[in-house]
């Protein structure tokens, strides 16, 4: 349980805006233990999403190393990084990001298209994942026919279907009412406690952060306090 | 899953897709029809035989040649058969009913033109009847003529009222054969001419010379014309194809215009299609970003766009091709004997398919590149 699964050293990222370089993250160090449930907090614009995107391998830092299970993902090329994401990262977005033309089941099945699994097995796994999030009766529904909370649960099923090392969530309850938000947080908590998933969650919500084991605060590109 | 995604994406905006498909159908259909018109234009030359030479008066086609040339032609080495033909230019009831009429040497003509297929019995009765005529199937169908009918023609070059009895109806050996012609006995024409305008008697419009070896066409043509150098009527001999193209080339500009228009139509629908694909791809950038985040490679994303474009083009294109046949048939009928041969060629269908594919590919290039290059973090931001 004390193995470090994510090791970040000297990470820096800046954006160019109007010909000028705006630093977002500067010389950041962070260790995340395997099985941790980490909340990433901080004011708007502090770089939370930027950091999460770097850890999830959908953006590249300017400097520094970012090792996940000993692999420095900053050194991977685009295709290798894509393959790495497919097998190591589960994404949960604020706006769910389901494909509107696919049913709940098909959305969940989607990441498995990149694996060598056969059609039948993909389907069975997707059904299992949907039942884990309590949506067995909604498999044939399209996203537009589901509530926000239900859509987020489909997205969670999609995130866990490949059994990834990391689950990253950027304000997963940001677009939900209190009740649905509570349900989603329960579900994410169970993924951590029951399945032992390492979870990194960006949130503004203090109550959401309380579910986490540890909280990291970002302020102006630097870690302020880590618990 | 991939195909399902492509298909459902294509059907996402039903009206937009339907309009694009409709545009494609019209464009591909128009392209096919125009190509068929051009083909029909050249059909005479296309159907021409490589083993036939046409010998005509060197000054102009309107001047005839004496019948005495026949014996001299027979003597030319390499010539296997000879027949004659004479433009009649009569009017059937009104000027609008145009079709070609020829006074021919019935005994040899259909030997030299084996593509005109005639029943033995009908041919025999034609040969027995001085005023007999052989008409093409398409022509007979157009005017409802049957064997035994009398066809009156008002002469223009050969003044007077003429009447011919339909003794035979010929069919084409293949689809390229012109079956809208009208043939009757030159002998009948000549005996009347002899009586009324003796100076124009014993002449024919052209000689059609059959040769054994098409490779010697040029040499033989020169040889024939050499024979008649410095004689009363010098000759000009060329292959049947060159002879037919001589008529067509006068209107080459129209053909070029038709070709240009048909490619313009394709170009316009390409722009429409590119716009459709660009709109769709732009709307879906966040979805493409999501797919990329999940680990889909850029080329997969690009092929989603290409797949959608190809699917729409395949539907529109095949409908367009399928419609070309009935519409061309109707069009050909309406044009009557202006286009004696009006068939959609396999080349036209191939060209249509090539156009549809090109439209799909070209229209999808830029949107596909944009979609595949979407930066994940930014694309995801676009949600909401
Ligand atoms: N693609 C980009 N181009 C330019 N600047 C960017 C880009 N993405 C982020 N930024 C800037 O980087 C800074 C950090 O952005 P980031 O999205 O990481 O903040 P955040 O902490 O997630 O904020 P929020 O809580 O509002 O989501 C912001 O000032 C933002 O404007
Ligand atoms: Mg953010």
């Amino acid at each position: 349980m004390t193995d470090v699964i994510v090791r970040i050293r000297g990470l820096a990222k800046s954006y160019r805006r109007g010909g000028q370089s705006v630093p977002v993250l500067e010389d950041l160090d962070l260790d995340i233990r395997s099985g941790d449930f980490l909340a990433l907090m901080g004011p708007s614009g502090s770089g939370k999403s930027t950091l999460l995107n770097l850890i999830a391998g959908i953006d590249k830092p300017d400097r520094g190393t970012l090792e996940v299970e000993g692999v420095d993902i900053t050194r991977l090329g685009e295709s290798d990084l894509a393959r790495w994401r497919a097998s190591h990262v589960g994404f949960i977005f604020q706006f769910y990001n389901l494909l509107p033309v696919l049913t709940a089941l098909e959305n969940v099945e989607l990441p498995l298209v990149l694996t060598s699994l056969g059609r039948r097995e993909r389907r069975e796994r997707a059904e299992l994942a949907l039942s884990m999030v309590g949506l067995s009766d909604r498999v044939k529904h399209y996203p537009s026919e589901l509530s926000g909370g239900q859509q987020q649960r489909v997205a969670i099923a999609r995130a866990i279907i490949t059994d990834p090392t990391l689950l990253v969530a950027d304000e997963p309850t940001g677009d939900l009412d209190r009740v649905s938000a509570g349900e989603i947080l329960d579900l994410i908590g169970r993924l951590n406690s029951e399945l032992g998933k390492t979870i990194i969650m960006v949130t503004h919500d203090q109550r959401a952060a309380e579910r986490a084991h540890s909280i990291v605060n970002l302020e102006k590109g630097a870690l302020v306090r880590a618990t | 899953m991939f195909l399902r995604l492509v298909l459902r994406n294509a059907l996402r905006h039903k009206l937009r897709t339907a309009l694009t498909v409709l545009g494609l159908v019209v464009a591909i259909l128009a392209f096919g029809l125009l190509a068929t018109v051009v083909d029909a234009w050249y059909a005479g030359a296309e159907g021409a035989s490589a083993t036939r030479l046409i010998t005509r008066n060197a000054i102009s086609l309107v001047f005839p040649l004496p019948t005495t040339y026949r014996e001299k032609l027979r003597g030319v080495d390499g010539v296997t058969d000879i027949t004659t033909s004479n433009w009649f230019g009569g009017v059937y009831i009104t000027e609008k009913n145009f079709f070609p009429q020829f006074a021919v040497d019935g005994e040899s003509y259909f030997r030299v033109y084996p593509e005109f297929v005639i029943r033995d019995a009908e041919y025999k009765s034609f040969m027995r009847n001085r005023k007999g005529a052989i008409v093409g199937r398409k022509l007979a169908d157009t005017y409802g003529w049957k064997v035994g009918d009398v066809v009156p023609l008002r002469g223009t070059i050969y003044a007077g009222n003429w009447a011919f009895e339909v003794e035979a109806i010929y069919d084409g050996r293949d689809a390229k054969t012109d079956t809208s012609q009208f043939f009757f006995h030159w002998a009948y024409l000549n005996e009347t001419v002899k009586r009324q305008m003796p100076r124009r008697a014993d002449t024919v419009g052209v000689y059609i010379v059959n040769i054994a070896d098409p490779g010697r066409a040029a040499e033989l043509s020169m040889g024939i014309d050499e024979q008649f150098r410095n004689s009363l009527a010098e000759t000009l001999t060329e292959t049947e194809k060159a002879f037919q193209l001589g008529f067509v080339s006068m209107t080459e500009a129209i053909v070029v215009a038709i070709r240009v228009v048909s490619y313009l139509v394709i170009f316009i629908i390409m722009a429409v299609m590119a716009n459709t694909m660009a709109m769709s791809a732009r709307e879906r950038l966040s979805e493409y970003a999501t797919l990329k985040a999940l680990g889909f490679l850029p080329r997969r994303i690009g092929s989603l766009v290409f797949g959608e474009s190809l699917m729409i083009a395949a539907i529109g294109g095949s409908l367009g091709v399928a419609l070309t046949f009935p519409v061309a048939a109707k069009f050909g009928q309406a044009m009557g004997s202006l286009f004696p041969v009006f068939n959609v060629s396999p080349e036209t269908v191939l060209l249509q398919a090539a156009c549809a594919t090109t439209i799909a590919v070209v229209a999808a290039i830029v949107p596909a590149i944009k979609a595949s290059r979407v930066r994940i973090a930014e694309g995801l931001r676009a949600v909401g």
Side-chain angles (χ1 to χ4, degrees), chain A residues 45 47-50 94 170-171 202 204:
Chain A
K48 304 183 295 293
S49 298
T50 304
Q94 178 175 355
D170 197 343
E171 304 191 32
V202 167
H204 275 120

Coordinates of all heavy atoms in Angstrom, one line a residue, chain A residues 45 47-50 94 170-171 202 204, ligand 2:
Chain A
G45 N -8.1 28.4 -12.1 CA -6.9 28.9 -12.8 C -5.6 28.5 -12.2 O -4.5 28.9 -12.6
G47 N -4.2 25.6 -12.0 CA -3.5 24.6 -12.8 C -3.9 23.2 -12.4 O -3.1 22.2 -12.8
K48 N -5.0 23.0 -11.8 CA -5.4 21.6 -11.4 C -5.6 20.8 -12.6 O -5.1 19.6 -12.7 CB -6.7 21.7 -10.6 CG -6.7 22.6 -9.3 CD -8.0 22.6 -8.6 CE -9.2 23.2 -9.3 NZ -9.0 24.6 -9.6
S49 N -6.4 21.3 -13.5 CA -6.7 20.5 -14.7 C -5.4 20.2 -15.5 O -5.2 19.1 -16.0 CB -7.7 21.2 -15.6 OG -8.9 21.3 -15.0
T50 N -4.6 21.2 -15.5 CA -3.3 21.1 -16.2 C -2.5 19.9 -15.7 O -2.0 19.1 -16.4 CB -2.5 22.4 -16.2 OG1 -3.3 23.4 -16.7 CG2 -1.2 22.3 -16.9
Q94 N -16.0 16.1 -16.2 CA -17.1 16.9 -15.6 C -18.4 16.8 -16.5 O -19.5 16.7 -15.9 CB -16.7 18.4 -15.5 CG -17.8 19.3 -15.0 CD -17.4 20.7 -14.8 OE1 -16.2 21.0 -15.0 NE2 -18.3 21.5 -14.4
D170 N -11.9 14.9 -13.3 CA -11.8 16.3 -13.3 C -13.2 16.9 -12.9 O -14.1 16.9 -13.8 CB -11.3 16.9 -14.6 CG -10.8 18.3 -14.5 OD1 -11.2 19.0 -13.5 OD2 -10.1 18.8 -15.4
E171 N -13.4 17.3 -11.7 CA -14.7 17.8 -11.2 C -15.8 16.9 -11.6 O -16.7 17.3 -12.3 CB -14.9 19.2 -11.7 CG -13.7 20.1 -11.3 CD -14.0 21.6 -11.5 OE1 -15.2 22.0 -11.4 OE2 -13.1 22.4 -11.8
V202 N -9.9 16.1 -9.2 CA -9.9 17.5 -9.1 C -11.3 17.9 -8.6 O -12.3 17.5 -9.1 CB -9.6 18.2 -10.4 CG1 -9.9 19.7 -10.4 CG2 -8.1 18.0 -10.8
H204 N -13.7 21.3 -6.5 CA -13.9 22.6 -5.8 C -14.6 22.4 -4.6 O -14.7 23.3 -3.7 CB -14.7 23.5 -6.7 CG -13.9 24.3 -7.7 ND1 -14.1 24.2 -9.1 CD2 -12.8 25.1 -7.6 CE1 -13.2 24.9 -9.7 NE2 -12.4 25.5 -8.8
Ligands
LIG2 MG1 -10.1 22.7 -14.3

